[in-house]
Amino acid sequence: MSRTFVGMPAFPTAAARALGDRRLRENLRHATHTIRARRAEVVAERADWAELRAAGKAIKDHTLHRLDHYLLQAEQAVTARGGTVHWAADAADANRIVTGLVRATGETSVVKVKSMATQEIGLNRALAAAGITAYETDLAELIVQLADDRPSHILVPAIHRNRGEIRQIFADRMAAWGRPAPDDLSDDPAALAEAARLHLRERFLSTRVGICGANFLVAETGTVVVVESEGNGRMCLTLPRTLIGVVGIEKVVPTWRDLAVFLQLLPRSSTGERMNPYTSTWSGAVEGQDFHLVLLDNGRTSVLADEVGRQALRCIRCSACLNVCPVYERTGGHAYGSVYPGPIGAILTPQLRGMTTELDASLPFASTLCGACYDVCPVAIDIPEVLLDLRAKAVLARPRRLERLVMTAVRWVLTRAARLRRVQRMASLARRLVPRRLPGPGAAWTDTRDLPDIPPESFRLWWKRTSGGRR
């Protein structure tokens, strides 16, 4: 099973470790630049991209404003079509529901479609604790699972691995999870994909329970929508006798007409494609299959209550913000200590988890505030605005005594002109004694920037000396 993010250090510590991994930086740079170039090309084809983006934002804002109405409408539609809807307040609730549903079938294994929601709640670990094995079927998720690794990207979980590493993972670990890799396996992408296909085919044909997430949930018909590029997801959705969907409550959209907007925004922003190769839709239970829909809150209603932070719930998990972020490109996803890395993770994770740990409180500072994430976001989430708001909350929640003492001293100096003059004069006289690297807590500041030179005299003294006292 994949290792968890429990006990991860604050972002600065984890990022410093990642920066020392040259191969990681090379893998990330190659992958993110490739994806962002494809995205830019297909977005440029749409003269109405700005209008589509505005429409996506408006639909999401409207839906979030009436989320209770649309969720109940979706529940009624799913139930009317033979499905069963479950409401999960948090991760423990969702894991209990899903585990209970799998146990009721008598099965001890499940196949899974790539799902951020199930990663968020740690479903694989919960199933394992109940004696149920979860098999990931998305190629990148399979790589992560075989390597006992953690996802590092929303769209491409194994983005931190290159072809040579993947070949070695398949050769070393596939046998323990079922069908072994071919003895002559190369690192050619087609060969790796074929090895994965043969490995997974037996799972698809023999496993009777499938678990999925959803990209969208259409309220008017109760239709669940899953988009993907490989076809593995469709195998998981259609072959099992029992299908369980775990869907965040923010994934709902009112109508099919609204869905059409996002089916144009999502593929261009995520994979740089004009449309997804596989778009699967179903409404309720289909013949020969039981369907259960687990609607997951897990902190989302708390995010919804925040006037600034709620825009994070517009996110359609395209990962465009990760691919343009200079911080993510150099540190990768593991440094964020969450299944949601990059700029969106820096604002979504602290809100979902409540900024109760040092790691969560550090995430809003994992940004240069360059604004590139906002420019590429297909639903116009103003990530820099939310970052600044969360930074303020983090400081207020955990005030530093030393900072407070320094600010108090600065205020005392600046409130009287005579005090300021004396301090400036003393600083000028002692300027040659100031070290290039400050001691103690100040070292963190001078380790990343140059300490400005202290001038031999203040501006006020210079003006008085050169202007003859004129005002």
Side-chain angles (χ1 to χ4, degrees):
M1 294 296 107
S2 297
R3 295 192 299 273
T4 73
F5 289 96
V6 175
M8 283 286 292
F11 181 83
T13 302
R17 295 175 185 171
L19 288 170
D21 189 336
R22 180 176 178 181
R23 174 179 288 183
L24 172 66
R25 297 201 312 273
E26 291 175 349
N27 294 346
L28 289 169
R29 178 177 175 80
H30 173 73
T32 56
H33 282 239
T34 299
I35 298 171
R36 79 164 80 160
R38 289 205 302 255
R39 176 201 171 275
E41 183 178 346
V42 295
V43 166
E45 295 175 352
R46 294 297 303 252
D48 62 344
W49 181 256
E51 288 77 12
L52 271 174
R53 186 179 189 235
K57 174 182 182 295
I59 292 168
K60 278 291 188 177
D61 284 344
H62 165 78
T63 308
L64 292 172
H65 183 67
R66 302 193 64 199
L67 190 57
D68 55 343
H69 166 76
Y70 289 117
L71 286 172
L72 290 175
Q73 184 182 13
E75 179 187 33
Q76 292 171 0
V78 171
T79 303
R81 289 166 173 81
T84 304
V85 177
H86 309 261
W87 297 83
D90 54 27
D93 206 12
N95 287 331
R96 176 185 57 79
I97 291 169
V98 176
T99 301
L101 291 172
V102 178
R103 278 177 167 168
T105 67
E107 299 295 321
T108 58
S109 64
V110 301
V111 287
K112 289 182 69 230
V113 185
K114 179 180 180 296
S115 164
M116 301 300 295
T118 59
Q119 291 176 17
E120 176 188 325
I121 63 176
L123 179 60
N124 287 11
R125 298 192 305 277
L127 290 172
I132 301 166
T133 303
Y135 293 99
E136 297 290 352
T137 64
D138 174 83
L139 177 56
E141 289 286 359
L142 173 64
I143 295 166
V144 169
Q145 185 176 51
L146 291 176
D148 192 25
D149 200 352
R150 298 187 300 261
S152 63
H153 192 275
I154 289 175
L155 178 68
V156 194
I159 195 172
H160 56 294
R161 300 286 191 176
N162 60 35
R163 293 186 302 176
E165 292 175 295
I166 295 169
R167 190 208 69 80
Q168 195 61 49
I169 290 169
F170 280 9
D172 293 342
R173 303 299 299 276
M174 264 190 173
W177 286 79
R179 185 187 183 101
D183 293 335
D184 59 348
L185 180 64
S186 72
D187 65 358
D188 177 71
L192 296 173
E194 177 67 8
R197 187 187 72 80
L198 294 174
H199 174 80
L200 292 170
R201 183 54 59 96
E202 295 176 9
R203 295 295 174 197
F204 291 138
L205 296 176
S206 63
T207 307
R208 297 187 177 187
V209 180
I211 296 177
C212 69
N215 295 95
F216 306 101
L217 171 63
V218 183
E220 67 176 351
T221 56
T223 302
V224 183
V225 183
V226 171
V227 299
E228 46 151 342
S229 298
E230 300 172 6
N232 296 334
R234 181 160 295 178
M235 299 286 281
C236 292
L237 299 172
T238 55
L239 292 179
R241 294 182 180 179
T242 300
L243 179 61
I244 305 168
V246 181
V247 181
I249 57 175
E250 83 283 11
K251 294 299 183 70
V252 67
V253 296
T255 68
W256 276 80
R257 185 171 183 175
D258 299 321
L259 175 65
V261 173
F262 296 106
L263 292 183
Q264 297 174 79
L265 288 170
L266 180 57
R268 285 177 166 82
S269 296
S270 57
T271 57
E273 297 171 294
R274 296 174 183 85
M275 65 181 293
N276 290 99
Y278 296 89
T279 300
S280 300
T281 66
W282 69 98
S283 303
V286 300
E287 184 177 357
Q289 187 182 74
D290 294 326
F291 175 60
H292 296 267
L293 175 64
V294 181
L295 292 173
L296 176 69
D297 185 334
N298 202 37
R300 286 161 174 78
T301 52
S302 297
V303 180
L304 187 62
D306 190 296
E307 292 186 5
V308 177
R310 70 168 63 120
Q311 59 186 299
L313 295 179
R314 289 189 214 140
C315 178
I316 58 175
R317 308 293 192 267
C318 70
S319 74
C321 61
L322 280 69
N323 299 326
V324 298
C325 178
V327 176
Y328 175 85
E329 181 185 320
R330 287 158 179 80
T331 65
H334 293 162
Y336 293 82
S338 166
V339 298
Y340 302 113
I344 188 61
I347 65 171
L348 185 58
T349 298
Q351 294 189 89
L352 290 176
R353 299 200 299 212
M355 278 204 297
T356 56
T357 67
E358 185 179 1
L359 168 60
D360 293 344
S362 72
L363 289 179
F365 298 89
S367 170
T368 65
L369 299 177
C370 67
C373 50
Y374 171 67
D375 291 340
V376 299
C377 178
V379 287
I381 301 172
D382 193 341
I383 293 178
E385 178 187 32
V386 184
L387 286 169
L388 289 173
D389 183 66
L390 290 174
R391 289 182 182 188
K393 291 174 180 175
V395 171
L396 291 174
R398 297 186 173 197
R400 273 72 167 178
R401 293 182 179 179
L402 180 59
E403 290 180 9
R404 182 179 295 179
L405 180 63
V406 171
M407 290 299 107
T408 300
V410 170
R411 181 176 59 184
W412 181 83
V413 170
L414 296 179
T415 51
R416 294 287 180 87
R419 293 173 185 162
L420 178 59
R421 285 196 298 270
R422 286 196 295 271
V423 170
Q424 288 175 331
R425 189 175 295 112
M426 286 188 294
S428 296
L429 292 173
R431 63 191 180 92
R432 299 186 185 280
L433 302 177
V434 176
R436 303 307 299 175
R437 183 178 188 271
L438 294 177
W445 198 88
T446 50
D447 283 345
T448 54
R449 55 184 63 80
D450 293 330
L451 189 68
D453 292 329
I454 300 175
E457 59 183 345
S458 68
F459 175 80
R460 289 173 179 268
L461 290 176
W462 173 84
W463 179 260
K464 184 176 181 180
R465 178 173 56 81
T466 59
S467 66
R470 297 191 306 273
R471 293 192 177 185

